[in-house]
Amino acid sequence: MTARVLVVDDILANVKLLEARLAAEYFEVVTALNGPDALEICARGRVDIVLLDVMMPGMDGFEVCRRLKLNPRTLHLPVIMVTALDQVSDRIQGLEAGADDFLTKPVDDIALITRVRNFARLKLMTDEMRMRASTGEQMGLVDPIQEFGHDSGEGGRVLIVDDNPRAAQRIVETLGRQHTVVVDTDPRSLPDRLAAVPAYDLMVLTLDLETVDGLRLCSQVRAIEKTRHLPIVLLVDPGSEARLLRGLDLGVNDYLIRPIERQELMARVRTQVRRKRYSDFLRHRLEERVEAAVTDPLTGLHNRRYMENHLRTLVEESLHRGRNLSLMVADIDHFKLVNDNHGHDAGDAVLREFSARLKRNTRGMDLTCRMGGEEFVVIMPDTDLSRACQVAERLRASTAAEPFMAGRSGPALTITASVGVAALEMADDTAEAIFKRADQALYSAKRDGRNRVAADAA
């Protein structure tokens, strides 16, 4: 995986060294020798990761990072601070400024490449979700980051995984001030339990567990659908750096080397919780947009686009498995008169009520759709033509049996519907052929007097 990396350092030799290391791994490298130039490059939006030196004259790395994280358009940029400072207070200052990680000079090649790759994956995923979740930026509307707003990263639901109860309790005492903390001291059966408990915002996992392989546990967590996107912070003993790098390759999000400094732990946990909430927000927005794209807003039924794609899939599956499949097309009789005589609000009320009766007279496994106007489609898996005609007749009778209210204060209207039915009958049948037969049957029902059901066999 490649990415465009901005290297920021006031010492040209350091810039050239990092540039050479990254270029050897096929990363595209952009450089800046001071903070203002770095901010300008990031503002242009063509950077995926920032490698930022701390000690620079004028505007230091902490201030550059703080400004990047305060700007909604660069807030999502991963920032790795490269520093000769090894004091815990310096790391905490960087984390409070919004830094995503640290590399200490002299920079280890393996740690450098692994971290950059890890953040490249994160940036790619976030950008993809942002792009799909909203076209607001292109339209000049609110960016998803601005809509999400500021999040403190506190109040998260954190899972501590450690088979040493005393070590786990020390973590609880630190994080319990700001988060709801759950401890699991039996990691052997943890994957089975994860699917049955409420979702977590973060998992803090001891790498060197006594009862199981911590790396294997990371792999299992990533393989579970419910926890695939769960951030993982590893707690690592000195001397386990090689296993840590393997963990980062498996998708671990962050780590701390023991002995753990409490303020740094709290800062890193807040960062991960905040990032998880933003990812969940984007994912939820995406799901909403996808739902809106395939749903008719008036009736809440699926729309024609979804119906056509789903029908093709069901036809292929039914042919492959030798199962029945039927389809009916229903049309409200003389619907134009409802709009002409009582107004479009009354027409909308009729469409909504017809949709409700349609759903009441079909099964949960049946797909009900509004094709457009007053025409509706029901796809019925595992249903032969005879049974489909019975369902269609039940819908027709239900429509005619009770009047439709044209809004809260509108008149009661007598409404009828005509229905055409067809079924999957031949080995070379297609979705288009079945729909065409059902549509022809509907036309026959209309032609023969309306308020009736007609079937069109192949």
Side-chain angles (χ1 to χ4, degrees):
M1 175 177 294
T2 188
R4 175 174 281 198
V5 183
L6 172 62
V7 176
V8 188
D9 197 313
D10 63 306
I11 300 175
L12 184 60
N14 292 343
V15 172
K16 293 298 183 183
L17 181 61
L18 288 173
E19 183 178 13
R21 290 175 175 177
L22 292 167
E25 298 294 329
Y26 304 101
F27 289 102
E28 186 177 351
V29 180
V30 183
T31 64
L33 297 176
N34 56 67
D37 287 350
L39 292 173
E40 182 180 348
I41 292 170
C42 292
R44 293 202 294 264
R46 292 296 309 278
V47 174
D48 297 306
I49 301 164
V50 180
L51 280 177
L52 178 61
D53 185 44
V54 172
M55 303 301 293
M56 294 187 295
M59 185 186 298
D60 65 16
F62 296 130
E63 180 61 23
V64 174
C65 184
R66 191 175 295 109
R67 294 192 185 192
L68 287 173
K69 297 301 181 177
L70 286 174
N71 184 343
R73 294 195 176 277
T74 56
L75 169 63
H76 61 285
L77 270 179
V79 176
I80 304 174
M81 303 199 83
V82 183
T83 176
L85 304 174
D86 59 359
Q87 296 296 315
V88 171
S89 58
D90 297 319
R91 292 199 298 273
I92 293 173
Q93 184 180 352
L95 290 168
E96 294 294 346
D100 297 276
D101 210 334
F102 283 87
L103 290 171
T104 303
K105 296 179 180 178
V107 178
D108 178 78
D109 284 357
I110 297 177
L112 169 68
I113 300 306
T114 302
R115 284 305 175 92
V116 170
R117 284 177 177 163
N118 187 30
F119 282 112
R121 285 194 295 266
L122 173 66
K123 178 66 162 47
L124 180 65
M125 179 187 70
T126 303
D127 283 352
E128 182 69 15
M129 287 195 295
R130 290 180 66 228
M131 195 163 43
R132 293 186 181 186
S134 176
T135 57
E137 282 183 286
Q138 300 172 10
M139 299 169 62
L141 301 177
V142 178
D143 182 274
I145 290 178
Q146 293 171 286
E147 186 177 340
F148 178 70
H150 175 74
D151 189 287
S152 66
E154 297 181 6
R157 182 174 166 82
V158 180
L159 174 65
I160 309 298
V161 182
D162 195 329
D163 47 16
N164 184 330
R166 292 182 62 186
Q169 184 58 36
R170 287 194 292 270
I171 302 299
V172 171
E173 292 171 357
T174 299
L175 298 180
R177 308 169 190 173
Q178 297 181 348
H179 306 276
T180 299
V181 181
V182 178
V183 176
D184 194 306
T185 56
D186 183 17
R188 291 169 296 184
S189 56
L190 176 63
D192 294 331
R193 291 194 299 276
L194 283 174
V197 299
Y200 293 103
D201 295 307
L202 175 68
M203 182 169 76
V204 178
L205 169 67
T206 294
L207 176 60
D208 295 314
L209 296 164
E210 297 179 2
T211 54
V212 297
D213 182 349
L215 290 178
R216 185 171 301 278
L217 188 57
C218 288
S219 175
Q220 291 171 333
V221 169
R222 283 288 175 259
I224 299 171
E225 179 66 28
K226 186 176 180 179
T227 57
R228 185 161 296 162
H229 304 291
L230 177 66
I232 300 174
V233 174
L234 283 183
L235 305 183
V236 184
D237 292 325
S240 297
E241 286 78 5
R243 297 188 71 231
L244 167 61
L245 292 177
R246 292 183 62 189
L248 292 170
D249 283 337
L250 288 172
V252 167
N253 302 79
D254 203 351
Y255 68 89
L256 291 101
I257 304 290
R258 286 192 166 100
I260 296 168
E261 205 288 323
R262 292 190 173 191
Q263 292 299 321
E264 182 176 2
L265 172 62
M266 292 172 67
R268 289 186 181 274
V269 166
R270 284 197 300 271
T271 296
Q272 293 301 325
V273 169
R274 186 164 52 241
R275 186 179 295 150
K276 170 67 160 51
R277 287 171 176 167
Y278 180 56
S279 295
D280 288 347
F281 168 77
L282 288 178
R283 201 169 287 110
H284 180 66
R285 279 280 301 274
L286 175 58
E287 290 170 356
E288 287 180 338
R289 294 304 172 95
V290 170
E291 184 67 20
V294 298
T295 302
D296 173 56
L298 177 64
T299 63
L301 303 179
H302 284 99
N303 61 18
R304 179 170 189 155
R305 175 190 296 178
Y306 185 85
M307 185 280 297
E308 290 175 342
N309 290 330
H310 195 61
L311 179 59
R312 293 190 189 98
T313 300
L314 287 177
V315 168
E316 293 173 1
E317 184 177 336
S318 297
L319 287 171
H320 178 70
R321 299 188 178 186
R323 292 181 174 177
N324 292 314
L325 177 71
S326 294
L327 180 145
M328 68 179 183
V329 182
D331 187 275
I332 300 174
D333 296 327
H334 302 298
F335 180 74
K336 185 175 183 299
L337 294 178
V338 176
N339 284 329
D340 291 346
N341 296 334
H342 303 284
H344 288 281
D345 288 346
D348 289 348
V350 168
L351 290 171
R352 284 192 290 266
E353 175 58 24
F354 184 78
S355 301
R357 298 189 192 189
L358 186 66
K359 295 187 74 171
R360 285 199 300 268
N361 286 281
T362 53
R363 304 166 299 179
M365 65 183 294
D366 298 329
L367 180 69
T368 54
C369 310
R370 182 186 177 198
M371 286 289 288
E374 66 272 27
E375 189 171 81
F376 297 79
V377 171
V378 180
I379 304 172
M380 296 172 282
D382 294 320
T383 306
D384 61 19
L385 186 63
S386 174
R387 177 58 181 158
C389 287
Q390 294 175 16
V391 175
E393 176 58 29
R394 187 168 67 234
L395 170 64
R396 184 208 64 78
S398 171
T399 303
E402 298 180 23
F404 284 58
M405 301 305 298
R408 292 183 179 180
S409 58
L413 304 177
T414 299
I415 301 294
T416 63
S418 302
V419 186
V421 184
L424 177 65
E425 297 182 11
M426 300 178 294
D428 60 349
D429 250 342
T430 64
E432 291 76 15
I434 299 169
F435 182 82
K436 184 176 181 180
R437 292 202 298 271
D439 201 45
Q440 289 173 340
L442 172 64
Y443 178 77
S444 297
K446 294 280 191 182
R447 183 189 57 205
D448 293 341
R450 294 182 168 82
N451 190 26
R452 64 187 64 229
V453 173
D456 191 334

